[in-house]
Amino acid sequence: MGKKTKKDSEPPPKDTFDPLLVESKQAATVVLMLDSPEEDVQTRACEAIYKFAEKCDDNKALLLELNAMPALLKLISSEDKVVRRNATMSVGVMAVHSEVRKLLRKSDAIQQVIKLLAPEEDTLVHEFASLFIASMANEFTSKVQIFEQDGIEPLIRLLADPDPDVQKNAVEAVCLMLQDFQTKAAIRELNGIQPLLDLLRSEYPVIQEFALVSLARCTEDTENREVLRELGGLEKLVEFIGTPEFNDLHVHALLVMSNCLEDTESMELIQSTGGLQKLLQFAAESTIPEVQQNAAKAMTRAAKNSENRKIFHEQESEKTLIQLLESDNVQVQAAACQTIAIMSENLLSKAAIGELDGIGPLVKLLNSDNGEVREAASLALANLTTASANNCTEVVAEKGVEPLINLVSDTKEGAQANAAVVLTNMASDEIMRTDIQSRGIVSALTSPLLSKNVVVQSKAALAVAAFVCDANSRAELRTSGGLAALTKLLTSGNEEVRRSASWAIVVCATDTPTAMEVSKLGGLETLQEIEQSSTRQNQFSQAALDRLLDSNLPAKYALTGRLGPMDVIQDGFYDPGQAKYYGSSYEDREGDWLKPGGKFQTLEEYSKVKPEPKRPILLVNTKAPESQASSPVPVPSEVDMKTESKVSVKSSRSNVRGRKESKKEREEREERERQEAERLAELQKVQAEQSSTWHPPADQALETYITEIITNVSPLPTTREQVVAIAQFVSDKMGGPVERGQLTNFSYELPISQLKHDLESNIIPIGKITAGIHYHRALLFKALCDNIAVGVSLVRGEYGRAWNEVMLTDDEAPGAPKFPPKEYIVDLMHEPGRLMRSDCADAVNYQKL
C-alpha cells in the first residue's frame, strides 16, 4: 500500500468576510454594533450594554446620550429569542433611570413591552419586562398607557410565576398601578385579589411587603373588601399578624385590616371567628411601637362606624386602649388617645373608660412634652366629659384642672380648643365651676380668645359663656382684657365664631358695668351691623343685642326709643337723645350728641364736652360719688413713697457697710430693690386711677322726690291712684299744667340754659329742672314709678315728645271683667293725672306736635 497523502482543505469563498474578533472599550462603539444586521453581534452588544448599564446611573445616562434606546427598542421585537431576551434585559435596566423614562413616554415602548409578558416568552424576558413596567408605573401618564394597553391582566398572571424575581417585579408593578382608581376595579374583575393573598406565603419579605401594600390600596374600595372577605382574606390576615417571624410586616398587614374593619360585616366576621380578640391581644402584647400605633389607628378607623363601636365594646377593647396609654412611645400614646376619643362617642364605652380608671393616664398625658400627645389626650377627655358628670368628677379627682388651665394657653391650637371644651363640660357642675374659677380660668381664657384659629376662638368663647356667670368673674374678665378680645370676635368672618361670641355676650352682659364696657369697645355697633346684614345675622346675635340693650338702658332708649315696664331706671341712667345707627356712626334726628366717633358715647365722655347750645343730656342719679360716700383706699403720697423707698434702700445697704458685700448678698439686695420698685409703681398706679375716676353728680332734689313718693304715694291702695298722684307730682315740680296750644309760650329753654351755665356741663340732673316739657316729665315720671314698682313704659316720639304708657284694669263698671288690662297714656302736660286710652283721639294728639 502506498502512503496516504493529506487532503487539502477547501479555500473559503471569495465573497465571504473572514471572522473578525472585535474588543471594544468604548460604549459608543457597542451602541453602533446594535445596528449590525448580524444577530450574533446584536446579542453580544445587548449583553455588553446590559452589564454596563447595570453598574450605575451615570452609565445609563451616558447610553441615553449615545441614543442607544431607539436601537434597543427595535431589538426587543427581534425574531431571535436571544437577541430579544438581551435587548429586553437592557431596556428593563435602563428604564430605572428617570430621564430614560421621560424619553420612553414619548414612544410606544410600553405597548411593545407588554407583548413580551406573553406566556410563551422565557423567564428572563418576563423578569425584565415586568421590571420595565414597574419602573414606568411611577409616572401617572405611564399608568394610563399601561391600563389602556391591557397591561394589568398579564401582570396578574405573572404573580403566580414560580420565579421570585418575576413575582417581585410583577407585584411591584401592580402595587404602583393600584394608586389609580381604575386599577382597583380592574383587579377585582380580573380575579387579582387571590394571587395577592397567595403571595403572603412567599419566602421573600420584599414580595410579602409589596403584596400587603397592594392589598391595602386594593381594600380602599368597598367591593374589593367584600371579595376579600369571601376569599377568607381576613382569617389569613389575622394569622399573618399573629406570626412573630413577620414582625417587620405587621404594620402593612394592619393597614389592610384597618381598611377591612371599616365594614360592619368584616367586624362581625372577625368577631365570630375570634380574630378580633386575637387582634386586641396582639396590640396590647406587641413590643414594636409602630405595630401598636397602627393597631390603634386601625381601631380608630373602624370605630368611626357606630355599629363597630358596639362590637369593640363587647370585646372590652377599652382595656387594651388604656394599656396602650401606658406605653413609653409618644406615637402609640397619641394613637391610643385618638381611638379613645372616637370610642367615647359610644355611651357604654364612655362609662367603661371612666370605670376602668382610664381618666388618670389621660390626665398625665396632658403634661407630655409632645404636642401631638397633649392634643390627642385633651381631645379624648373632651369627648369623655361631654354629658358625663362621673368622668368630669374623675378629672377633678385626678388633679386635671391645673393641667387643663395651662393647656388653654398651649402652643398647640388643637390642645387649646380641646382643653376649653373639657373645662366647659366641667362647668355644668356648680362646685366644679367655682373651683375652676378660683384657679384663674377667666384670665387664662384671654389667650385663646386672641388666637387666630377659628376653632380655638369658638371654643374659648363658649368657655367664657360657661364660666363668666357671676359679678366677680365678669369683673375679672373686664380687667384681664378678655372682654375686649371677646368683643372683637363679633367681627369674625366665621359664622361659628360669631355665634359663640354672641352667646358669650348674652351671658356676660347681664350687668350694667359689663354691658357698658362692651358698648365702649364697639360691641353695640358691631351687633347692629350684623343685624343689618342679611347673611350674617342669626338668633344669637339678636339675643346678644337685646341683652346688651337690656343691660345698657341709656343705649336702649336712645336706639329703640322705648323702655318697657321691666326696664327699671337706676342711678346713672342718662338720655342723650334719639339715635339711629347708619353703618359707621350714629345720627340724632335732632342733630345732637350722637354723631362723634361712630360709637355710643358714655356719660363720662359726654362730661368732657364743654357746654354747647344743644338739648341737654338728662341724668338720673341720686348716688353720691364714692369719694364723698366713703373714704377712699389710703394711698401714700408721692413724697411718702419716695421717702420709704430711700429708707428701704439705705437700710439694706447699711447692713453691709464696713465689709465687702458677697455676690449672694448683692443679688438678694438687688432683688429686694426690684420688688420694692414694683410695689411703689403699683401704688402709684392705684393712686392715679383713684384720682382720675369720674363720678356723675348726685341729684339731691331727685332723692327728695323719691322720698316723698315712697312716703305719700306708695301707700295708696290702687295702681291707678298711684299713677295719677305721681303724674300730678311731676307736673307740679316741672312748671305745672300747660294749656293746649300754649306750649310755644311755655318758657323752659332759658332755665335749662342757665342750668348748663351754672353747672358748666351739658349734663343736667333731672331733679334740677323746674320747667320741663314732655320728654323731661316723661323721664322723671318713669324714674319715680320704678322706685315704687309701678310698671310704666317710656316712649319717645318726635320733636321733643315723649309719653308714658301704663296697663290698668278697668274697675269703673261693677261686675265688669277687669282682665285683660288696657293700655293708657298718662297726661303730664295739660291735665296732669288724666288717663287716656291709647287708641283714643286725645292720646294720639298728645303724642304728636
Side-chain angles (χ1 to χ4, degrees):
M1 294 181 63
K3 188 177 180 180
K4 293 184 178 179
T5 60
K6 187 177 179 180
K7 185 177 180 181
D8 296 334
S9 59
E10 296 183 2
K14 295 180 179 180
D15 59 347
T16 302
F17 190 84
D18 292 337
L20 176 65
L21 297 177
V22 179
E23 183 177 345
S24 176
K25 294 184 179 181
Q26 296 294 324
T29 304
V30 179
V31 170
L32 292 174
M33 292 171 63
L34 293 175
D35 293 325
S36 171
E38 298 183 53
E39 293 174 348
D40 185 56
V41 175
Q42 294 172 349
T43 300
R44 293 179 182 276
C46 289
E47 183 179 0
I49 287 177
Y50 162 72
K51 292 178 180 179
F52 180 72
E54 194 178 29
K55 291 179 180 179
C56 63
D57 285 344
D58 290 340
N59 292 352
K60 298 181 182 70
L62 177 60
L63 291 171
L64 180 64
E65 291 178 5
L66 296 174
N67 203 26
M69 285 309 299
L72 288 172
L73 291 175
K74 182 179 178 181
L75 294 179
I76 63 174
S77 301
S78 173
E79 295 181 359
D80 184 272
K81 286 188 175 183
V82 179
V83 173
R84 189 164 65 246
R85 180 196 66 195
N86 290 358
T88 303
M89 291 170 62
S90 300
V91 171
V93 171
M94 290 278 289
V96 176
H97 197 283
S98 60
E99 292 298 321
V100 175
R101 293 198 299 270
K102 187 183 296 185
L103 174 66
L104 291 173
R105 287 200 299 271
K106 301 176 182 178
S107 66
D108 61 348
I110 291 177
Q111 182 179 5
Q112 292 178 262
V113 175
I114 288 176
K115 293 179 181 178
L116 298 176
L117 299 177
E120 58 270 15
E121 296 291 345
D122 64 26
T123 301
L124 275 176
V125 173
H126 285 165
E127 177 185 345
F128 286 94
S130 58
L131 174 62
F132 175 90
I133 297 297
S135 299
M136 296 298 295
N138 280 287
E139 277 82 22
F140 175 75
T141 53
S142 298
K143 285 187 179 74
V144 175
Q145 293 182 41
I146 295 170
F147 185 84
E148 292 177 349
Q149 297 297 331
D150 299 326
I152 304 299
E153 184 176 6
L155 287 173
I156 291 174
R157 185 178 64 252
L158 292 179
L159 293 177
D161 194 280
D163 186 89
D165 291 324
V166 176
Q167 287 182 339
K168 183 263 179 186
N169 292 336
V171 73
E172 182 180 2
V174 169
C175 180
L176 292 169
M177 289 298 296
L178 280 168
Q179 292 175 335
D180 182 51
F181 73 96
Q182 291 178 313
T183 307
K184 294 175 183 177
I187 201 166
R188 178 179 66 251
E189 297 168 357
L190 296 171
N191 301 318
I193 297 179
Q194 182 63 57
L196 289 173
L197 287 171
D198 293 339
L199 290 180
L200 296 181
R201 298 194 298 268
S202 173
E203 298 177 1
Y204 302 94
V206 66
I207 294 178
Q208 292 175 313
E209 181 178 356
F210 278 124
L212 287 170
V213 175
S214 298
L215 286 170
R217 291 172 179 172
C218 184
T219 51
E220 292 173 357
D221 182 86
T222 305
E223 295 182 24
N224 287 347
R225 294 198 291 268
E226 183 179 351
V227 173
L228 187 72
R229 287 196 299 271
E230 294 172 356
L231 295 173
L234 291 177
E235 292 82 354
K236 294 178 181 178
L237 286 169
V238 172
E239 181 183 355
F240 187 90
I241 292 172
T243 305
E245 62 191 65
F246 297 148
N247 278 345
D248 294 342
L249 300 172
H250 284 164
V251 172
H252 300 292
L254 286 169
L255 290 175
V256 184
M257 185 66 74
S258 174
N259 291 338
C260 294
L261 293 183
E262 288 187 17
D263 299 331
T264 305
E265 295 82 2
S266 298
M267 283 288 292
E268 293 173 347
L269 177 61
I270 196 173
Q271 182 190 26
S272 63
T273 59
L276 184 56
Q277 189 61 42
K278 292 180 182 179
L279 182 63
L280 293 173
Q281 184 179 356
F282 167 77
E285 297 178 355
S286 176
T287 57
I288 304 175
E290 192 176 1
V291 171
Q292 290 183 316
Q293 175 191 354
N294 283 277
K297 287 183 176 180
M299 294 176 64
T300 302
R301 290 187 62 183
K304 291 179 180 179
N305 184 299
S306 59
E307 294 298 322
N308 290 349
R309 289 195 290 271
K310 293 180 182 178
I311 296 174
F312 273 130
H313 174 67
E314 292 170 1
Q315 295 294 320
E316 298 182 337
S317 63
E318 296 87 359
K319 294 181 179 179
T320 301
L321 293 171
I322 294 173
Q323 189 172 346
L324 290 178
L325 292 177
E326 304 291 346
S327 171
D328 294 332
N329 185 277
V330 293
Q331 301 298 331
V332 176
Q333 293 171 347
C337 290
Q338 290 170 350
T339 309
I340 289 176
I342 297 293
M343 285 294 297
S344 60
E345 294 182 18
N346 180 282
L347 296 179
L348 295 176
S349 293
K350 182 185 295 186
I353 292 170
E355 294 169 359
L356 294 170
D357 298 327
I359 302 295
L362 288 171
V363 170
K364 290 180 182 178
L365 293 180
L366 295 178
N367 296 314
S368 172
D369 293 333
N370 185 277
E372 297 293 337
V373 174
R374 295 197 303 272
E375 182 176 357
S378 59
L379 175 62
L381 286 173
N383 290 353
L384 285 170
T385 54
T386 300
S388 177
N390 291 336
N391 287 346
C392 289
T393 304
E394 283 295 317
V395 173
V396 175
E398 295 292 341
K399 300 181 179 179
V401 175
E402 286 293 342
L404 286 169
I405 292 177
N406 294 335
L407 216 58
V408 165
S409 303
D410 197 80
T411 55
K412 200 75 175 174
E413 293 177 336
Q416 285 183 295
N418 297 332
V421 172
V422 180
L423 292 168
T424 302
N425 293 338
M426 296 169 68
S428 58
D429 183 274
E430 184 176 357
I431 297 176
M432 293 185 198
R433 182 175 67 247
T434 304
D435 177 53
I436 297 171
Q437 286 174 331
S438 67
R439 297 172 186 264
I441 179 59
V442 176
S443 299
L445 287 172
T446 302
S447 176
L449 287 174
L450 295 171
S451 171
K452 294 182 180 179
N453 185 289
V454 294
V455 176
V456 176
Q457 292 172 346
S458 177
K459 301 303 181 184
L462 291 176
V464 169
F467 285 101
V468 185
C469 51
D470 57 76
N472 292 335
S473 58
R474 286 192 287 270
E476 184 178 355
L477 183 69
R478 294 195 299 271
T479 57
S480 65
L483 194 60
L486 180 64
T487 304
K488 188 176 180 181
L489 293 185
L490 294 173
T491 62
S492 172
N494 183 275
E495 183 179 0
E496 187 65 28
V497 173
R498 290 198 308 274
R499 187 183 295 117
S500 300
S502 297
W503 175 242
I505 294 294
V506 170
V507 176
C508 295
T510 52
D511 61 3
T512 301
T514 305
M516 295 292 287
E517 185 68 18
V518 172
S519 299
K520 187 176 181 180
L521 293 168
L524 183 61
E525 292 74 31
T526 302
L527 289 169
Q528 289 183 93
E529 286 181 9
I530 293 174
E531 285 307 299
Q532 292 173 2
S533 170
S534 59
T535 57
R536 293 191 296 159
Q537 61 177 332
N538 56 70
Q539 293 180 344
F540 289 92
S541 62
Q542 178 62 56
L545 180 58
D546 292 343
R547 176 58 59 86
L548 206 57
L549 293 177
D550 288 340
S551 300
N552 188 355
L553 294 185
K556 182 174 184 178
Y557 187 46
L559 293 172
T560 66
R562 182 182 182 87
L563 295 180
M566 302 303 293
D567 298 321
V568 178
I569 291 179
Q570 297 178 348
D571 286 335
F573 177 88
Y574 60 98
D575 174 19
Q578 184 174 3
K580 186 175 181 181
Y581 189 70
Y582 289 98
S584 60
S585 63
Y586 290 100
E587 291 186 10
D588 184 4
R589 293 185 181 180
E590 299 177 10
D592 286 341
W593 295 106
L594 297 165
K595 292 182 182 179
K599 292 183 180 180
F600 188 81
Q601 304 291 298
T602 64
L603 189 61
E604 183 176 359
E605 290 170 332
Y606 285 130
S607 70
K608 298 176 182 178
V609 181
K610 294 181 179 180
E612 296 181 4
K614 298 180 179 179
R615 80 185 292 282
I617 297 171
L618 304 180
L619 172 65
V620 177
N621 184 60
T622 62
K623 184 179 179 182
E626 292 183 4
S627 59
Q628 300 174 12
S630 60
S631 59
V633 178
V635 179
S637 66
E638 186 175 354
V639 176
D640 294 338
M641 287 189 290
K642 289 182 179 179
T643 304
E644 183 180 356
S645 177
K646 290 179 180 178
V647 171
S648 176
V649 174
K650 182 178 180 181
S651 62
S652 64
R653 290 178 177 173
S654 64
N655 293 331
V656 294
R657 184 179 298 170
R659 62 181 177 86
K660 187 176 181 180
E661 186 179 21
S662 68
K663 181 178 179 182
K664 183 177 180 181
E665 289 174 336
R666 184 174 68 255
E667 291 177 351
E668 291 177 353
R669 176 176 56 78
E670 291 175 351
E671 177 65 20
R672 286 195 301 272
E673 292 176 0
R674 186 186 63 80
Q675 292 178 356
E676 183 67 18
E678 290 178 355
R679 187 180 72 84
L680 294 177
E682 184 66 26
L683 289 173
Q684 289 176 338
K685 181 179 179 182
V686 172
Q687 187 182 41
E689 290 178 354
Q690 287 191 352
S691 62
S692 63
T693 302
W694 180 86
H695 299 283
D699 190 346
Q700 295 179 353
L702 177 60
E703 188 173 7
T704 303
Y705 294 169
I706 293 173
T707 302
E708 292 183 28
I709 293 298
I710 293 175
T711 303
N712 301 325
V713 178
S714 183
L716 295 178
T718 64
T719 302
R720 182 184 293 269
E721 293 178 35
Q722 291 175 333
V723 168
V724 172
I726 295 174
Q728 293 172 350
F729 179 87
V730 168
S731 177
D732 291 342
K733 298 300 180 182
M734 288 205 167
V738 179
E739 294 184 8
R740 291 180 179 84
Q742 298 299 315
L743 185 60
T744 55
N745 298 326
F746 182 70
S747 177
Y748 71 94
E749 294 178 341
L750 185 60
I752 289 178
S753 298
Q754 184 63 42
L755 279 172
K756 291 167 69 174
H757 179 269
D758 295 342
L759 297 173
E760 297 182 351
S761 174
N762 295 301
I763 301 172
I764 297 181
I766 191 69
K768 292 185 178 294
I769 298 177
T770 57
I773 58 172
H774 296 75
Y775 73 92
H776 305 111
R777 300 187 184 197
L779 176 58
L780 179 59
F781 182 83
K782 167 71 173 168
L784 295 175
C785 286
D786 286 346
N787 275 277
I788 61 170
V790 174
V792 175
S793 296
L794 174 61
V795 185
R796 189 196 306 277
E798 296 180 348
Y799 306 108
R801 286 291 195 273
W803 60 91
N804 301 101
E805 298 173 352
V806 60
M807 302 295 291
L808 296 172
T809 56
D810 191 357
D811 53 8
E812 295 180 356
K818 295 183 179 181
F819 294 96
K822 299 179 177 60
E823 185 178 81
Y824 291 87
I825 303 295
V826 184
D827 188 345
L828 301 174
M829 289 295 300
H830 311 303
E831 299 179 31
R834 184 166 71 108
L835 301 177
M836 303 170 285
R837 289 285 298 273
S838 59
D839 54 354
C840 71
D842 287 345
V844 173
N845 292 332
Y846 186 81
Q847 299 169 31
K848 295 182 178 180
L849 183 63

